Amino acid sequence: MNIANISTLGLVLKSGNMVFGFDAVKEELQKPDTKMAGILLSSDLSAKTKKEIEFLRDKFCPSLEILPTEWDMEQIGKTIGKKTGIIAIMDEGFWKSLNKKK
């Protein structure tokens, strides 16, 4: 699996197709009509937070894909302007461009 360049996150943010932060992603996961395409996790996200997000995904959206990235929270923060470890992508097109499979 090959995650696209981190600069793509800036485009996703500007388009309004991004939800980030644990609480915001949790809230979005719980919506019955969520348009979430996938979730990205930073490389330095705690194991506890990762486990919680996976539990919520399994409970509310079991088919939703969660991908770990090589980016740490600092790199993500420099790209989108907010240090975070969890990013939900709300558009299938952007998700496919970020989640390029070899």
Side-chain angles (χ1 to χ4, degrees):
M1 190 171 317
N2 180 24
I3 301 293
N5 192 310
I6 194 168
S7 62
T8 306
L9 289 181
L11 296 172
V12 178
L13 179 67
K14 287 179 182 175
S15 73
N17 288 300
M18 179 186 289
V19 175
F20 55 87
F22 180 82
D23 292 334
V25 172
K26 176 183 175 181
E27 189 177 308
E28 189 63 39
L29 271 170
Q30 293 173 335
K31 292 180 181 177
D33 60 342
T34 186
K35 303 286 189 237
M36 198 178 298
I39 299 174
L40 299 174
L41 304 177
S42 70
S43 61
D44 56 348
L45 188 68
S46 75
K48 179 180 182 269
T49 304
K50 181 181 177 195
K51 188 175 178 179
E52 287 179 45
I53 276 296
E54 288 172 343
F55 171 79
L56 291 167
R57 183 270 319 262
D58 292 345
K59 183 174 180 179
F60 296 105
C61 299
S63 63
L64 190 69
E65 190 172 11
I66 296 178
L67 291 177
T69 68
E70 296 176 359
W71 313 318
D72 62 24
M73 290 186 210
E74 192 72 33
Q75 290 172 303
I76 292 170
K78 288 178 182 174
T79 303
I80 67 171
K82 179 79 173 167
K83 193 173 167 182
T84 187
I86 302 173
I87 301 171
I89 307 299
M90 305 302 292
D91 178 80
E92 282 294 330
F94 279 123
W95 181 250
K96 288 177 183 170
S97 72
L98 282 164
N99 181 15
K100 294 180 180 175
K101 296 182 180 174
K102 290 183 177 181

